[in-house]
């Protein structure tokens, strides 16, 4: 069985990348329900990954009981909302088709079971959802947040190529028609191509004489590029700057650090109650009795 959801992102606060952000378009996904649950969170191995700082690693989950589908907050830091109210942690509540779950500025509309096996081109894969949500956030950002490649070493050191357009092929080579023309004798006229999509940046070797290296290894065909990666063509080195990939990696590292911190603490053993409150109570009682005895002695002395 597969369940369908509509994901609408409206990042705010720490998750806002730019004050100029406009509402992003809705993304449709389907998640497998074969295990009997759909977990939502920031962790990479959950069914619906939301790469935002305000989302917990395992934030909430959908399950099914005799009444139908239900949603439960898994003790998240910032809470899970249903119909405008915050859910109590670890308490399942009924979820109807069409209802919206709110998690850290993200709206998740539950659309129920898939009714047919027809392919829907509007659907996104859950495996690429996090990358595409981040892409949506950065889409309206200023030029400083647009992916680019910078020449680190070679004849054109310091030059950069901004990959502003989606789906367009950017040519690297010695030819004057290239988007980044490099006067390097070891580079072919059309040596390599870069292309940016919602899934990231790829580089392709255009059957060049001396090939393309990524991270010190020669590639065959095309290669997906990560932020900070080094491309070498001829005697020229270029560094990839991809803010979207960088953001995702920071989110993954943050989840890893939190999990490592919890693991290092280990299981907590029951603590014995401190004896100090009892000691203090005994001392206070003794003092009170002494004071009372002194007062009575003075009163009886005055009467005599």
């Amino acid at each position: 069985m597969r369940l369908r959801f509509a994901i609408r992102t409206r990042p705010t606060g720490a998750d806002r990348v730019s004050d100029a952000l406009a509402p992003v378009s809705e993304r449709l996904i389907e998640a497998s329900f074969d295990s009997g649950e759909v977990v939502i969170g920031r962790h990479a191995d959950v069914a619906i990954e939301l790469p935002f700082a305000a989302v917990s690693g395992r934030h909430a989950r959908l399950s099914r009981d005799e009444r139908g589908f239900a949603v439960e907050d898994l003790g998240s830091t910032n809470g899970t909302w249903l119909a405008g109210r915050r859910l109590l942690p670890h308490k399942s509540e009924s979820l109807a088709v069409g209802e919206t779950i709110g998690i850290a500025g993200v709206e998740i509309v539950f659309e129920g079971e898939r009714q047919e096996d027809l392919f829907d081109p509007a659907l996104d894969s859950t495996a690429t959802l996090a990358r595409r949500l981040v892409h949506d956030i950065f889409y309206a950002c200023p030029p400083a947040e647009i992916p680019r490649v910078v020449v680190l070493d070679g004849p054109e050191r310091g030059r950069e190529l901004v990959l502003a357009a989606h789906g367009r092929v950017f040519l690297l080579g010695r030819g004057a028609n290239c988007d980044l023309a490099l006067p390097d004798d070891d580079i072919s006229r059309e040596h390599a191509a870069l292309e940016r999509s919602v899934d990231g940046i790829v580089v392709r070797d255009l059957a060049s004489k001396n090939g393309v290296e990524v991270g010190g290894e020669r590639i065959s065909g095309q290669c997906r590029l990560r932020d900070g990666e080094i491309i070498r063509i001829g005697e020229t080195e270029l560094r990839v700057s991809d803010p979207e990939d960088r953001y995702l990696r920071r989110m993954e590292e943050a989840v890893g650090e939190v999990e490592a911190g919890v693991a290092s603490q280990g299981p907590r053993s029951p603590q014995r109650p401190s004896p100090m409150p009892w000691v203090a109570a005994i001392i206070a009682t003794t003092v009170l009795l002494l004071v009372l005895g002194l007062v009575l002695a003075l009163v009886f002395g005055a009467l005599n």
Side-chain angles (χ1 to χ4, degrees):
M1 179 193 300
R2 298 186 69 80
L3 302 180
R4 179 177 287 206
F5 303 86
I7 312 293
R8 300 169 184 161
T9 53
R10 291 184 175 86
T12 58
D15 294 325
R16 183 179 291 279
V17 180
S18 169
D19 291 335
L21 275 178
V24 300
S25 59
E26 179 179 274
R27 291 203 171 272
L28 299 176
I29 66 163
E30 285 182 357
S32 172
F33 197 65
D34 294 342
S35 65
E37 67 175 14
V38 171
V39 178
I40 306 167
R42 189 154 50 106
H43 201 288
D45 65 359
V46 301
I48 301 178
E49 182 186 358
L50 303 178
F52 304 113
V55 178
S56 298
R58 289 173 58 87
H59 197 108
R61 74 181 180 111
L62 274 71
S63 58
R64 196 170 194 173
D65 55 27
E66 64 279 359
R67 297 173 298 173
F69 290 100
V71 60
E72 173 191 359
D73 180 86
L74 298 177
S76 66
T77 301
N78 294 308
T80 303
W81 303 77
L82 179 65
R85 57 187 178 79
R86 185 168 180 168
L87 300 181
L88 294 175
H90 304 293
K91 183 179 180 181
S92 296
E93 293 208 20
S94 296
L95 177 67
V97 173
E99 285 195 302
T100 300
I101 303 167
I103 295 178
V106 180
E107 295 178 356
I108 305 170
V109 182
F110 178 51
E111 298 194 349
E113 300 178 42
R114 183 175 64 181
Q115 299 300 317
E116 53 189 19
D117 292 330
L118 296 177
F119 172 71
D120 187 345
L123 286 174
D124 285 305
S125 164
T126 53
T128 61
L129 175 64
R131 173 83 202 196
R132 296 188 175 206
L133 290 177
V134 172
H135 169 79
D136 289 340
I137 296 171
F138 278 81
Y139 185 75
C141 287
E145 299 293 349
I146 294 178
R148 63 194 66 211
V149 292
V150 180
V151 179
L152 287 183
D153 196 13
E156 293 294 298
R157 182 177 181 180
R159 281 189 62 190
E160 64 178 36
L161 173 63
V162 179
L163 309 177
H166 292 78
R168 182 193 158 189
V169 175
F170 295 86
L171 295 177
L172 309 178
R174 202 174 71 252
N177 64 313
C178 290
D179 297 281
L180 184 58
L182 300 166
D184 184 333
D185 292 337
D186 292 321
I187 293 178
S188 302
R189 292 187 62 81
E190 292 186 356
H191 195 107
L194 292 168
E195 185 173 352
R196 175 191 175 197
S197 72
V198 293
D199 295 321
I201 303 170
V202 297
V203 60
R204 291 197 301 273
D205 184 357
L206 300 178
S208 63
K209 179 180 178 181
N210 295 315
V212 176
E213 292 184 4
V214 175
E217 296 186 6
R218 185 162 178 166
I219 69 169
S220 176
Q222 70 178 32
C223 176
R224 163 84 154 74
L225 298 171
R226 304 297 303 268
D227 176 63
E229 214 146 32
I230 304 298
I231 307 170
R232 184 179 182 87
I233 55 175
E235 294 299 317
T236 299
E237 287 189 349
L238 307 101
R239 182 177 60 205
V240 179
S241 175
D242 184 354
E244 297 175 20
D245 183 69
R246 188 183 314 133
Y247 179 93
L248 272 172
R249 290 169 69 179
R250 286 176 180 171
M251 291 298 99
E252 292 170 0
E253 290 169 1
V255 171
E257 288 172 1
V258 169
E259 291 182 343
V262 171
S264 65
Q265 292 177 6
R268 295 184 178 181
S269 57
Q271 294 184 352
R272 296 178 59 186
S274 171
M276 292 306 296
W278 295 101
V279 173
I282 293 170
I283 294 174
T285 302
T286 303
V287 170
L288 181 61
L289 291 174
L290 290 174
V291 171
L292 182 59
L294 180 59
V295 171
L296 291 173
L298 290 175
V299 171
F300 281 111
L303 293 175
N304 294 330

